[in-house]
């Protein structure tokens, strides 16, 4: 059990010394994408090869979270603790492990697998949320502490009042990373001001949005960062209990979080009287069951209570009437992961990244017809062209860019001629899309946009909880009408009806799922109307 | 009704006990039951309802609301085709169609001999490997239609 900052530093120093005993490290990415390409076996083989060559005293092999460049997995980084030099190897298979160990032994890099780290993909990123991903061992709390972990929590508990924490977060301008972009500080303040005996902190790790895997990577690569952010939220708002709601489809994330909570409990970093301060905080993981609607705040809390995930009318907002009727703060995984760097470096530092109205960085999952699929973190306000070409490496297989889809089933498609757009909450909203949780799906000229719109509509139809009529019936009807366009059997009246239904469903649905369901249709009609017209049969 | 004699119910009991037999333990208990038995059959649902003092209708309602819960047993082999956006635009639909035709079953169904279940997922979160299918818990990424069939043939033989 540790109770003081000094004891925390002691653990950090001890671990750093232990880390420095080995001058070099081979860090094998065991993020989900690399894992499915056999990263665990590679880690095992590398450990064996390093031992066989008798260099285990100078080179340690460890598994780390997602490095980001998933397209080139399995990734292994060779890091020199003394010089800080790093060589990244890509497309490593089980056949390459001994060659790699030999390269470490002979100090001659394995040129054919070496990745160019000066290219845009790496150079243009700014890692704040993901600063530990790819560096620390997510299974080891001491490694997190050695990299400065839990210092923010201990210093805050000792030196700062809850109101000071909230004021820092407010000044930083941090906005909810789940997609809505509501100011986090304001949300916390509302709950902090409510006088109640019990309050809750809830973390949304449900990430039901297809094409998005940012939160998964954060939970898997750096679970303690999320835990520390939640504990700080608990202190700021006066809550002693938190829940992390994670999809059951993410077994690795669940395992890492549970392990991390156990380790934190054992060290007394979670539990009663943390850092000898009188602040108690306990944390539990709750499994979701693969329902997209549970990403909606009121649906999520009712799911934690053990019910069907039906949303309800707001107000009352969660800040008054949340989990079990008590005031509740609900934030997304990435939002909580931003708290520690803000408190460590100050609000002004944070404001140095991003734009005036959307400070900081955003993690995006780049997927679809793009060369460098993977996970990237960039300052808010970056031009779309930089994100797609400089970082993403452009469209794959030499085809032409057609559209960029952001925001998942609630978002929209942005046409290729709007590449000068700056990516932040407000500008995306202005062009009919939205930030969403951060999935960026690139489509090339082989895609039919009506089919893309139908894909999302069918998704919303199947995910609609059925509670309110506009969403339940509307999404079904719209899917049927879109089918007519795909089969080239639509009439002009169908087109008018489709547009009208979009408006009705948007205006009259109960929750965010229904209210945003028409967005993919509306944005494709706006920018790719000719494709709809092609689906209208001749009279 | 006495508690089912099957020793595996102890696992479910343990989850409920850990959560103090509160009604909010329902979803976690269903997860444990599915993990233990492979799917949720009527005796399991009844058992959970009784122990948590919930109406069976409520337990059934929750179990059918979430896609993750299965009320029918899976086949000996399982293939989950990811239908997430990234997989979709890279041809997951064609893969699914081919498999449906090849084995004469629709998505979510099991072949008559109980050998193969064909399932779909909303998104498995490995979008950089799209299109992806999970064959017997092993992810197979960057698939072509031919790869997908070949992988299953291999598993079934």
């Amino acid at each position: 059990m540790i109770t003081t900052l000094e004891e925390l530093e002691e653990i950090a120093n001890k671990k750093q010394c232990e880390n420095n005993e080995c001058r070099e490290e081979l860090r094998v990415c065991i993020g989900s994408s690399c894992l499915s390409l056999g990263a665990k076996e590679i880690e095992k083989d590398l450990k064996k090869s390093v031992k066989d060559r008798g260099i285990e005293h100078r080179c340690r092999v460890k598994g780390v979270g997602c490095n980001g460049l998933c397209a080139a997995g399995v990734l292994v980084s060779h890091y020199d603790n003394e010089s800080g030099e790093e060589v990244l190897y890509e497309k490593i298979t089980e056949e390459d492990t001994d060659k790699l160990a030999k390269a470490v032994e002979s100090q001659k890099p394995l040129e054919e697998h070496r990745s160019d780290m000066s290219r845009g993909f790496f150079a243009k990123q700014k890692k704040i949320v993901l600063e530990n991903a790819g560096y620390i061992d997510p299974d080891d709390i001491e490694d997190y502490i050695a990299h400065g972990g839990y210092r923010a929590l201990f210093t805050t508990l000792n030196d700062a009042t809850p109101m000071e924490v909230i004021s820092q977060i407010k000044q930083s301008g941090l906005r909810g990373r789940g997609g809505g972009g509501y100011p986090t500080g304001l949300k916390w303040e509302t709950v902090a001001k409510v006088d109640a005996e019990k309050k809750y902190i809830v973390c949304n790790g449900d990430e039901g949005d297809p094409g998005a895997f940012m939160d998964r990577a954060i939970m898997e690569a750096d679970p303690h960062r999320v835990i520390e952010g939640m504990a700080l939220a608990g202190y700021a708002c006066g809550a002693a209990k938190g829940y992390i709601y994670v999809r059951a489809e993410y077994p690795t994330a669940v395992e890492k979080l549970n392990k991390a909570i156990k380790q934190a409990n054992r060290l007394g970093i979670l539990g009663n009287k943390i850092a000898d301060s009188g602040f108690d905080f306990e944390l539990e993981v709750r499994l979701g069951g693969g329902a997209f609607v549970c990403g909606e705040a009121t649906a999520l809390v009712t799911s934690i209570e053990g019910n069907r995930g039906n949303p309800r009318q707001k107000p009352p907002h969660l800040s008054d009437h949340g989990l079990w009727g008590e005031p509740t703060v609900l934030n997304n995984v990435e939002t909580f992961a931003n708290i520690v760097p803000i408190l460590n470096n100050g609000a002004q530092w944070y404001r140095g990244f991003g734009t005036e109205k959307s400070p900081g960085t955003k993690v995006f999952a780049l997927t679809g017809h793009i060369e460098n699929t993977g996970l990237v973190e960039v300052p808010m306000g970056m031009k779309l062209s930089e994100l797609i070409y400089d970082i993403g490496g452009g469209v794959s297989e030499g085809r032409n860019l057609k559209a960029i889809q952001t925001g998942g089933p609630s978002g929209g498609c942005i046409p290729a001629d709007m590449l000068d757009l700056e990516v932040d909450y407000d500008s995306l909203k202005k062009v009919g899309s939205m930030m969403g949780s951060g999935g960026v799906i690139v489509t090339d000229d082989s895609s039919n946009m009506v089919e893309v719109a139908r894909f999302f509509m069918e998704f919303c139809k199947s995910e609609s909880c059925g509670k309110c009529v506009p969403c339940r019936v509307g999404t079904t009807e719209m899917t049927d009408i879109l089918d007519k366009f795909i089969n080239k059997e639509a009439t002009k009246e169908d087109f008018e009806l489709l547009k009208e239904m979009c408006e009705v469903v948007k205006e009259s649905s109960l929750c965010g799922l229904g209210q945003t369901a028409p967005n993919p249709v509306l944005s494709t009609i706006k920018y790719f109307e000719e494709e709809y017209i092609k689906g209208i049969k001749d009279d | 009704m006495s508690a089912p004699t099957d020793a595996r119910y102890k696992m479910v009991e343990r989850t409920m006990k850990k959560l103090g037999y509160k009604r909010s333990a329902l979803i976690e208990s269903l997860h444990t039951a599915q993990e233990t038995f492979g799917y949720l059959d009527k005796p399991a649902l009844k058992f959970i309802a009784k122990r948590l003092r919930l109406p069976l209708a409520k337990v059934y309602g929750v179990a059918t609301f979430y896609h993750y819960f299965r009320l029918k047993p899976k086949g000996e082999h399982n293939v989950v085709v990811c239908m997430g956006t990234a997989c979709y635009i890279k041809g997951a639909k064609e893969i699914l169609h081919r498999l449906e035709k090849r084995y004469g079953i629709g998505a979510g169904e099991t072949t008559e001999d109980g050998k193969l279940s064909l399932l779909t997922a909303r998104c498995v979160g490995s979008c950089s490997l799209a299109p992806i299918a999970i064959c017997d818990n092993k992810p197979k990424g960057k698939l072509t239609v031919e790869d997908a069939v070949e992988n299953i043939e291999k598993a079934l033989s």
Side-chain angles (χ1 to χ4, degrees), chain A residues 216 287 290 307-308 462-463, chain B residues 28 58 61 66-67 122 124:
Chain A
R216 166 189 207 155
L287 295 181
N307 304 311
R308 289 166 70 98
S462 129
E463 293 298 324
Chain B
E28 294 285 316
K58 159 103 188 182
Y66 296 96
H67 301 295
R122 273 301 171 200
V124 298

Side-chain angles (χ1 to χ4, degrees), chain A residues 179-339:
Chain A
Y182 190 79
T184 307
L186 210 58
K187 193 184 258 185
W188 289 16
E189 190 178 45
T190 316
V191 172
K193 280 185 179 162
V194 182
D195 187 22
E197 213 156 275
K198 271 190 182 159
K199 294 178 188 177
Y200 295 98
I201 306 292
V202 177
C203 174
N204 178 359
D206 199 38
E207 202 167 49
D209 178 348
F213 52 95
M214 299 76 46
D215 294 345
R216 166 189 207 155
I218 297 168
M219 292 185 283
E220 288 178 4
D222 202 4
H224 287 287
R225 170 72 77 93
V226 182
I227 294 172
E228 190 176 358
M230 288 184 75
L232 283 159
Y235 177 67
C237 304
K241 173 113 198 179
Y243 289 94
I244 312 180
Y245 186 82
V246 192
R247 305 174 68 183
E249 287 92 335
Y250 285 178
T252 320
V254 172
E255 180 206 314
K256 304 265 179 229
L257 284 167
N258 274 324
K259 200 167 184 178
I261 291 171
K262 218 178 201 173
Q263 290 173 342
N265 279 329
R266 208 174 47 224
L267 284 180
I269 289 171
L270 289 177
N272 292 333
K273 296 202 169 53
I274 302 168
D276 227 0
S277 65
F279 168 62
D280 307 337
F281 195 68
E282 67 173 294
L283 209 49
E284 275 182 53
V285 172
R286 280 286 181 277
L287 295 181
F292 179 64
V293 69
C294 287
E296 203 275 343
T298 58
L300 193 152
V301 297
T302 187
S303 177
I304 292 181
E305 292 167 5
N307 304 311
R308 289 166 70 98
N310 285 338
R312 62 159 172 80
Q313 186 88 44
K314 280 194 285 191
H317 290 280
L318 292 194
S319 49
D320 296 318
H321 192 93
L323 190 56
W324 287 301
E326 306 292 349
T328 301
V329 166
L330 187 138
N331 280 127
N332 160 275
V333 171
E334 194 182 333
T335 313
F336 281 121
N338 267 300
I339 303 302

Side-chain angles (χ1 to χ4, degrees), chain A residues 33 36 70 210-211 216 247-248 286-290 303 305 307-309 367-369 373 442 455-456 459 462-463, chain B residues 19 24 26-28 31 58 61-62 65-68 83-86 88-90 122-125 127-129 139 142:
Chain A
S33 189
S36 54
C70 305
R216 166 189 207 155
R247 305 174 68 183
R286 280 286 181 277
L287 295 181
S303 177
E305 292 167 5
N307 304 311
R308 289 166 70 98
T367 59
H369 299 126
T373 50
V442 176
F455 169 81
F456 284 118
F459 179 87
S462 129
E463 293 298 324
Chain B
L19 298 170
S24 60
L26 175 56
I27 293 177
E28 294 285 316
H31 275 294
K58 159 103 188 182
V62 169
F65 183 85
Y66 296 96
H67 301 295
Y68 194 78
M83 298 299 280
T85 321
Y88 178 82
I89 66 164
K90 285 195 162 181
R122 273 301 171 200
C123 180
V124 298
C127 310
S128 54
L129 297 174
K142 297 185 184 168

Side-chain angles (χ1 to χ4, degrees), chain B residues 55-125:
Chain B
L56 182 59
K58 159 103 188 182
V59 176
Y60 183 77
V62 169
T64 48
F65 183 85
Y66 296 96
H67 301 295
Y68 194 78
F69 296 125
R70 281 184 306 272
L71 274 72
K72 283 183 192 152
K74 280 206 281 189
E76 201 180 312
H77 296 279
N78 293 285
V79 175
V80 184
V81 182
C82 178
M83 298 299 280
T85 321
C87 291
Y88 178 82
I89 66 164
K90 285 195 162 181
K93 205 167 78 178
E94 284 74 42
I95 293 177
L96 184 67
H97 279 173
R98 174 72 79 84
L99 295 179
E100 284 179 335
K101 237 171 118 187
R102 169 74 183 73
Y103 296 98
I105 45 171
E109 293 175 356
T110 304
T111 51
E112 254 174 48
D113 59 5
K115 279 257 183 214
L116 179 75
S117 291
L118 186 58
L119 307 162
T120 55
R122 273 301 171 200
C123 180
V124 298

